[in-house]
Each structure stands twice: as structure tokens, then as C-alpha cells.
Amino acid sequence: MGVTEDLADALAKDVLDAVEALGDPTLIDDIARTLGTSSTVTEEAFMTAIRVRTAETRARRLLRDRVKKAMADRKKAPPE
């Protein structure tokens, strides 16, 4: 990645951590607006990183839940 993408991704990670800690999802939009006043390119890279990281988190949660359910179902099944 380039400098813009690297910096935007690092910021996105920190913002998502802060959103989780503070319980304030509006922080994402506030940071994006602040970036947009100086650099729309950085704002777009930031929002892309937010979307990618959020999607990855949701996908991992789904995978974890499916595996957990399958393991629980396997334990409930009668032995053959």
C-alpha cells in the first residue's frame, strides 16, 4: 500500500478501537469529516479501511459462531 492507504488504515484501526471502547459510532463520521476538510483522498482511504475492517470483523464473528455451533451440535449427537 501507499502512504495514504497505510496511514488511513492505521487511523481506521485506532478509530474502530475507540468506537468499541467509547460505544460511540458517530466518531467514524466525525473523523471522516475532519479528514475530508483537508484531503478527500485520505477521507476515502479511511472510509474504505473502515468498511474493510468492519466487514472482516463481521465475517470472523460469523465463522466463529458457525464453528462453535457445529462443535456444540457434534457434542449433542448420540455416539454411533
Side-chain angles (χ1 to χ4, degrees):
M1 283 198 255
V3 172
T4 301
E5 290 82 10
D6 291 345
L7 292 173
D9 184 54
L11 180 60
K13 181 184 180 315
D14 292 344
V15 170
L16 288 170
D17 289 344
V19 165
E20 186 174 326
L22 301 173
D24 182 9
T26 65
L27 184 58
I28 294 168
D29 294 329
D30 293 343
I31 298 297
R33 271 193 299 279
T34 299
L35 287 171
T37 62
S38 300
S39 171
T40 56
V41 171
T42 305
E43 176 190 15
E44 276 302 312
F46 169 75
M47 289 306 298
T48 297
I50 289 287
R51 287 188 293 274
V52 167
R53 287 182 168 277
T54 300
E56 191 259 353
T57 298
R58 287 180 183 148
R60 285 194 179 277
R61 189 176 303 129
L62 174 63
L63 176 61
R64 183 196 65 222
D65 292 348
R66 290 272 179 98
V67 168
K68 190 184 294 185
K69 183 182 181 314
M71 297 300 284
D73 290 348
R74 207 177 269 172
K75 287 181 182 178
K76 290 179 189 176
E80 294 179 20

